[in-house]
């Protein structure tokens, strides 16, 4: 089965779970006065779950015929040949983003950002650390200054143990 | 009106007020370029500065300048980074980013600047002419009509989908609508579909979703296939943006688009609740439908008409959204709601009496809008080569910075690290959806319009004790019929084309 149909299958399953919640479990905690209203918090989700399941089935069963096959472009990525691309680098960057999210509060914005920018460029093949680290550090400080001092949005700059 | 214009001109060209326009435009453009800070947050940040000015005219002029600047800045990040920080510039990235990828970033920015200027200017002229009478038309629209209008907006996604792709596009729209229902609904403060997770009580953030749908997959694709970035920046042309000018043929192609979208965008902006986002999507859809078959193939791949339409429409709609604010005191969008708050804080009560009681405020704002557009054009056209140089940054540096700005955009909006994990999760899902050729724009449109759609649907249901509003309000019925036609027409056209091709093959 093609990837788009697998996605449609997952979508139909999601609609079933969403619909089950809307039809059977959501209204249980509804206060009595709301039960006399013509519209409940579950009304719109109920409509969506039915419409979504029907639409997902149209894609899953291939009811809508495609008129022409799209010509693949040189820059398109064919998911069947993932090994031909820099998939490892992409996964590495995603992992770096997750690590950044988890470290942002404990080690502070400045250290986390310098590490993320350095690690990101290293994953992509940059080895000139004498340029990379100062660029990352200067950019981080400028952004921190602009966001916190000029815009007034709080960003914890230093690790938690230094502040508390 | 002439007397009002003279008062406005006198007030607006006062050096201090002129300075405020220039300052507002510069601040707005630079902050608007940072994905994650849309006009709403920028205006909210600038309100304390505006209030300290003391003069309501100068304050409103400053805030209007910031508003325009932010919309323009948002377009720049949409075109260069495919990271629309503002909902109103999502449609700009559909063709603006492909143009930048083809090495035409300078041209795309020029078209965006000219279209924005023209849209804003024509919008300001229309505002002068129609402000008093349009307020009464806007009053005819009730929640039932808004609901129907939004259904039309969602159906216009058929225009985004290629032939035979309507099912996938509608599926993505419904997914977006479903995501909009996560969190506390407007109808009752009851958490829905949160799975008990506290961070989901306020629902998904638009910025996080926009970044995850557009910026993150694009960055991942750039990493996976360096040939993509070679097209845009890594080739010999990198660092040299030399195609800023648009030729006569291109100017002739976008002129009617600008004309049409200025008017359409303005009128959509006048409707409270519609605003720049719907205006830009509808503008894109309408121009795609009006284009010739050859031109239609270009849409989504770097069409100048596809770039000009949303850019013109969103700026015209920004101006239009001032009509209900200034004449009725009803905010036409989230941004004008914040402006309304600022006006009240400045002891100015917008409404039908504003033109009579404080004509200098009313007319000076209109004149300064025009000046603001001029300032943006003068400031931005010479700056375009420098702005576009962002594409010449080496890939090893550019990609981590794009990812960092994506993360920051999601983080500073909510100040919550969980948002970053949601961003990565959705980003991976969006990449898989792109592998399977699912259009992502409809998902975001569904998400943006979802809450408004449900609110208006629920309000109409309550008022009419059921679905009776569809039959009882002819305008609602008409709009809903139009929406159905918009979905069915592309499929019907495709079926007819298939039958015709079959007929030719069979020798009929």
């Amino acid at each position: 089965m093609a990837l788009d149909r697998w996605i449609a299958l997952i979508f139909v399953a999601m609609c079933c779970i969403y619909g089950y919640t809307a039809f059977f479990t959501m209204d249980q905690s509804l206060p009595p006065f709301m039960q006399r209203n013509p519209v409940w918090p579950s009304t719109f989700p109920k409509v969506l779950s039915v419409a979504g399941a029907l639409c997902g089935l149209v894609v899953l069963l291939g009811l809508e015929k495609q008129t022409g096959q799209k010509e693949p472009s040189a820059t398109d990525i064919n998911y069947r040949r993932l090994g031909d691309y820099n998939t490892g680098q992409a996964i590495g960057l995603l992992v770096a983003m997750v690590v950044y999210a988890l470290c942002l509060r404990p080690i502070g914005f400045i250290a986390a950002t310098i590490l993320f920018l350095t690690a990101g460029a290293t994953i992509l093949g940059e080895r000139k650390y004498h340029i990379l680290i100062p660029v990352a550090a200067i950019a981080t400080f400028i952004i921190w200054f602009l966001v916190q001092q000029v815009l007034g949005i709080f960003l914890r700059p230093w690790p938690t143990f230094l502040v508390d | 009106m002439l007397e009002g214009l003279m008062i406005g001109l006198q007030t607006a060209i006062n050096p201090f007020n002129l300075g405020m326009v220039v300052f507002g435009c510069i601040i707005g453009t630079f902050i608007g370029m940072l994905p994650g800070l849309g006009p709403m947050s920028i205006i909210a940040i600038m309100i304390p500065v505006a209030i300290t000015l003391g003069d309501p005219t100068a304050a409103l002029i400053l805030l209007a300048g910031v508003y325009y600047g932010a919309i323009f800045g948002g377009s720049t990040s949409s075109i260069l980074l495919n990271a629309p920080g503002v909902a109103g510039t999502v449609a700009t990235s559909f063709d603006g980013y492909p143009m930048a990828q083809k090495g035409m970033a300078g041209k795309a920015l020029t078209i965006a600047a000219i279209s924005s200027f023209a849209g804003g200017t024509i919008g300001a002229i229309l505002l002068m002419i129609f402000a008093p009478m349009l307020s009464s038309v806007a009053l005819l629209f009730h929640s039932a009509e808004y609901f129907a209008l939004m259904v039309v907006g969602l159906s216009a996604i058929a225009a985004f989908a290629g032939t035979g792709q309507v099912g996938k596009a509608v599926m993505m729209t419904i997914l977006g609508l479903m995501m909009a229902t996560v969190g506390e609904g407007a109808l009752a403060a009851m958490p829905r579909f949160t799975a008990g997770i506290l961070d989901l009580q306020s629902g998904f953030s638009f910025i996080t979703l926009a970044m995850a749908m557009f910026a993150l997959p694009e960055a991942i694709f750039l990493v996976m296939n360096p040939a993509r970035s070679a097209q845009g920046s890594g080739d010999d042309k990198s660092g040299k943006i030399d195609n800023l000018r648009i030729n006569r043929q291109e100017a002739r192609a976008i002129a009617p688009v600008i004309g049409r979208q200025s008017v359409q965008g303005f009128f959509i902006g006048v409707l409270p609740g519609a605003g720049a986002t719907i205006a830009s999507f509808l503008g894109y859809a309408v121009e795609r439908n009006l284009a010739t078959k050859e031109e239609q193939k270009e849409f989504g791949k770097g069409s100048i008409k596809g770039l000009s339409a949303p850019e013109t429409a969103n700026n015209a709609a920004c101006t239009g959204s001032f009509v209900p604010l200034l004449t009725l005191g009803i905010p036409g969008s989230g941004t004008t709601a914040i402006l309304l708050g600022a006006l009240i804080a400045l002891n100015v009560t917008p409404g039908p009496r504003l033109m009579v009681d404080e004509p200098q405020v009313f007319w000076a704002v209109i004149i300064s809008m025009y000046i603001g557009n001029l300032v943006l054009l003068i400031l931005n056209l010479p700056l375009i080569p420098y702005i576009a140089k962002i594409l010449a940054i080496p890939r090893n540096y550019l990609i981590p910075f794009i990812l960092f700005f994506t993360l920051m955009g999601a983080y500073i909006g909510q100040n919550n690290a969980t948002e970053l994990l949601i961003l990565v999760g959705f980003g991976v899902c969006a990449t898989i959806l792109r592998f399977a050729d699912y259009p992502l724009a409809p998902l975001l449109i569904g998400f943006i319009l979802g809450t408004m759609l449900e609110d208006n649907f629920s309000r109409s249901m309550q008022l009419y004790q059921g679905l009776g509003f569809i039959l009882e309000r002819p305008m609602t019925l008409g709009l809903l019929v139009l929406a159905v036609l918009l979905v069915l027409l592309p499929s019907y056209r495709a079926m007819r084309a298939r039958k015709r091709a079959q007929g030719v093959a069979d020798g009929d």
Side-chain angles (χ1 to χ4, degrees), chain B residues 183-392:
Chain B
E184 285 179 356
L187 193 64
M190 195 178 123
R192 298 182 294 179
F193 308 108
T194 57
I197 302 167
L198 211 64
D199 286 323
L200 286 183
Q201 290 241 344
S202 53
F204 296 117
S205 144
F206 155 71
I207 291 297
T208 307
L209 206 60
M211 299 291 165
M213 294 298 128
F214 292 99
L216 198 52
E218 192 53 49
I220 291 173
F221 273 41
L222 279 176
V223 175
M224 288 178 77
N225 188 4
R228 277 176 90 83
S229 58
Q231 274 210 339
S233 63
D235 60 5
D236 294 336
K237 281 186 254 171
S238 66
K240 205 175 168 191
I241 308 296
D242 50 5
N243 55 350
L244 285 176
R245 285 196 182 165
I246 55 169
N247 58 39
R248 197 170 285 183
Q249 199 186 351
E250 286 164 336
R252 214 173 291 153
I254 61 168
V257 176
I258 288 174
R260 278 191 294 267
Q261 290 314 316
S262 298
V263 179
Q264 182 183 304
F266 175 79
F267 284 103
I268 292 170
V270 170
L271 300 171
T277 310
I278 295 181
S280 60
F281 286 129
L282 273 183
Y284 187 86
V286 165
E287 288 306 327
R288 190 185 182 279
N289 284 338
L290 287 177
T292 60
K293 277 201 171 162
E294 281 304 305
E295 287 172 337
Q296 271 185 5
K297 284 180 194 160
E298 275 295 300
F299 273 70
K301 293 174 190 162
S303 157
I304 56 166
K305 283 189 173 182
L307 169 64
S308 175
E311 267 307 294
T312 312
N314 67 19
N315 269 58
C318 286
T319 317
S321 66
F322 276 83
V323 174
L325 175 75
L326 294 176
T327 57
L328 293 172
I330 299 171
S333 61
T335 317
T336 44
I338 295 177
L339 283 173
L340 175 66
L343 276 174
I344 292 167
L346 286 157
N347 288 325
V348 176
T349 314
R353 296 286 308 166
L354 183 71
M355 272 172 88
V356 183
D357 295 340
E358 294 187 76
Q360 76 285 1
V361 176
F362 185 88
W363 291 106
V365 170
I366 291 175
I367 297 287
S368 69
M369 274 179 193
Y370 183 77
I371 298 172
N373 280 297
L374 201 65
V375 167
L376 272 177
L377 191 73
I378 294 168
L379 272 180
N380 289 308
L381 271 183
L383 286 180
I384 282 172
Y386 305 101
I387 295 172
K389 275 208 165 63
I390 198 168
L391 289 173

Side-chain angles (χ1 to χ4, degrees), chain A residues 3-5 7-8 11 14-15 17-19 21-22 26-27 29-31 34 36-45 47-49 51-53 55-56 58-59 64-68 70 74-79 82 84-87 89-90 93-94 97-98 100-102 104-105 109 113 116-117 120-122 124-128 131-132 135-136 139-140 143 147 150-156, chain B residues 31 34 37 45 101 147 162-172 174-175 177-179 181-182 187-188 190-193 216 219-229 231 301 394-397 399-401 403-408 411-413 415-418 420-421 423-424 427-428 432-438 450 453-454 457-459 461-466 491 494-495 497-498:
Chain A
L3 181 64
D4 57 344
R5 293 208 180 169
I7 292 172
F11 179 73
M14 251 171 61
C15 286
I17 298 166
Y18 183 87
T21 315
M26 198 192 264
D27 296 333
S29 55
L30 203 65
M34 280 212 69
R36 283 194 289 274
N37 282 348
V39 56
W40 293 13
S42 61
T43 309
F44 193 60
V47 177
L48 287 182
S49 63
C55 192
V58 168
V59 181
E64 190 190 17
K65 289 193 176 67
Q66 306 231 356
T67 43
K70 214 176 75 172
T75 54
D76 276 349
I77 289 179
N78 185 346
Y79 67 90
L82 280 182
D84 296 353
Y85 306 105
N86 301 326
T87 314
Q89 285 186 351
L93 282 170
L94 287 171
M97 288 172 83
V98 173
Y100 179 72
L102 298 174
L104 193 56
R105 276 178 187 266
F109 174 79
T113 306
F116 173 75
L117 292 174
T122 306
L124 291 172
E126 182 62 47
R127 294 292 177 267
K128 292 177 187 161
I131 300 173
L132 176 61
V135 166
T140 303
I143 292 161
V147 173
V150 179
L151 299 180
I153 298 168
F154 178 70
L155 287 175
R156 185 193 296 272
Chain B
I31 305 181
L34 293 177
L37 282 177
I45 290 163
Q101 276 190 310
F147 162 70
T163 330
Q165 291 263 314
V166 178
K168 281 182 177 177
V170 177
M171 193 176 123
M172 288 292 101
I174 295 173
L175 183 60
L177 289 169
M178 282 161 66
M179 287 168 81
T181 60
V182 174
L187 193 64
M190 195 178 123
R192 298 182 294 179
F193 308 108
L216 198 52
I220 291 173
F221 273 41
L222 279 176
V223 175
M224 288 178 77
N225 188 4
R228 277 176 90 83
S229 58
Q231 274 210 339
K301 293 174 190 162
R395 179 177 165 272
N396 290 354
Y397 286 80
I399 292 170
F401 272 98
L403 292 177
F404 168 66
F405 279 119
T406 309
L407 288 163
M408 281 303 289
Y411 184 73
I412 54 181
N415 218 348
N416 185 353
T418 314
L420 303 185
L421 298 174
L423 169 85
V424 177
V428 172
I432 296 169
L433 286 170
R434 273 184 67 165
F435 281 149
D437 207 17
Y438 275 88
L453 185 78
E454 188 181 6
F457 172 73
S458 306
R459 217 170 293 143
M461 286 273 284
Q462 270 178 333
L463 276 171
Y464 287 84
Q465 294 289 309
S491 301
M495 200 174 73
R498 229 181 7 251

